[in-house]
Amino acid sequence: MRIDIVTIFPTFFDALDLSLLGKARSKGIIDVGVHDLRDSAHDRHRTVDGPPAGGGAGMVMRPEPWGESLDGILDGADDPLVIFPSPAGDVFTQEMAKELAQETHLVFGCGRFEGIDQRVFDETASRARVRLVSIGDYVLNGGEVAVTVMIEAIGRLIPGVIGNPESLVEESHEDGLLEYPSYTKPAEWRGRQIPPVLLSGNHGAVEQWRHEQRVERTRRVRPELLEEATPEDGETPQ
Ligand code: 6GU
């Protein structure tokens, strides 16, 4: 997968060199290009923002640097999907991460200040698929952290990024339930035991216990998820 990111803070994305995603990049599974929006701003101060037309607080990102930067990425690109992180967008979920992991070319445009001139969205939508995506109901100062979150969630679903694909199966949100609690050695620690069933060697009993734990934890912490869980998850919606 090819990923391009446009930002005024390119060093934010140094984090993508780390850990599993960094390995995936060095293996060539994920090819990331980070573009400094200011490289496409050509006045003496490399200005990327201006006061809002019609008045009001804050600053809005000017369209020209965005146009030039996105042209450089989109010209000749093969079916890219452009994502603008925005608190006004569709909410990012595991479901959306799975969808986006099927794409061949994602382009992320990180807004700062009070947002980007609307004409950038309209113009980009005339030449590529465009989505606005929010990572949740709270306010961030800009899209960089949101894009890091999305790339981590999407990247780990790309074949070859995670060594053992089985570890993708029984995770929180993967099938609408939260994950079960995990234990490792020692069997007793500060007077606390590992639940005996996990040491019983009875795989069926272990599976059943883990499933019950997932349902119980989901009921306690995120009951609304049980409404959405599929019947195979053991809970028929009432
Ligand atoms: Cl994607 N961007 C910004 N700036 N704030 C957010 C967000 C995104 N998602 C939630 N809050």
Side-chain angles (χ1 to χ4, degrees), residues 18-233:
L18 302 173
S19 187
L20 287 171
L21 284 182
K23 254 184 226 139
R25 287 180 72 181
S26 55
K27 282 195 274 181
I29 300 172
I30 302 176
D31 178 21
V32 183
V34 181
H35 309 265
D36 188 341
L37 182 67
R38 287 193 199 276
D39 291 346
S40 299
H42 302 295
D43 64 302
R44 199 151 50 88
H45 302 289
R46 306 215 294 165
T47 307
V48 295
D49 62 338
M59 297 290 265
V60 176
M61 295 189 106
R62 292 175 61 111
E64 312 96 308
W66 277 103
E68 183 182 300
S69 186
L70 289 171
D71 283 349
I73 295 166
L74 297 177
D75 287 347
D78 182 20
D79 197 27
L81 173 63
V82 183
I83 296 175
F84 291 102
S86 162
D90 299 327
V91 176
F92 187 73
T93 59
Q94 186 67 17
E95 214 39 53
M96 195 191 293
K98 281 191 218 173
E99 251 173 71
L100 298 178
Q102 310 293 317
E103 296 283 340
T104 54
H105 188 179
L106 296 178
V107 179
F108 291 97
C110 301
R112 281 265 150 185
F113 312 113
E114 300 306 306
I116 304 173
D117 187 302
Q118 178 63 34
R119 291 168 293 180
V120 173
F121 304 110
D122 301 342
E123 167 82 1
T124 308
S126 75
R127 58 183 306 195
R129 291 174 297 141
V130 169
R131 288 187 80 162
L132 302 191
V133 181
S134 164
I135 62 163
D137 293 338
Y138 37 79
V139 182
L140 305 172
N141 284 328
E144 283 78 7
V145 169
V147 168
T148 306
V149 166
M150 289 188 245
I151 291 176
E152 175 136 342
I154 295 164
R156 60 196 295 287
L157 298 177
I158 296 171
V161 172
I162 290 207
N164 176 6
E166 274 190 29
S167 58
L168 292 173
V169 180
E170 286 199 322
E171 294 173 317
S172 292
H173 300 297
E174 196 42 46
D175 58 7
L177 293 174
L178 303 183
E179 64 194 342
Y180 52 78
S182 298
Y183 298 84
T184 185
K185 289 178 266 204
E188 183 189 326
W189 178 71
R190 297 191 179 180
R192 298 167 188 274
Q193 315 290 333
I194 291 178
V197 61
L198 298 179
L199 306 174
S200 68
N202 181 340
H203 290 296
V206 169
E207 285 312 299
Q208 193 188 334
W209 181 85
R210 285 179 170 167
H211 183 73
E212 287 163 6
Q213 291 291 314
R214 300 185 71 202
V215 173
E216 176 44 37
R217 191 179 245 190
T218 308
R219 189 193 312 287
R220 192 163 21 93
V221 184
R222 299 287 305 278
E224 81 280 10
L225 293 179
L226 285 178
E227 304 289 311
E228 296 157 22
T230 55
E232 305 90 271
D233 299 328

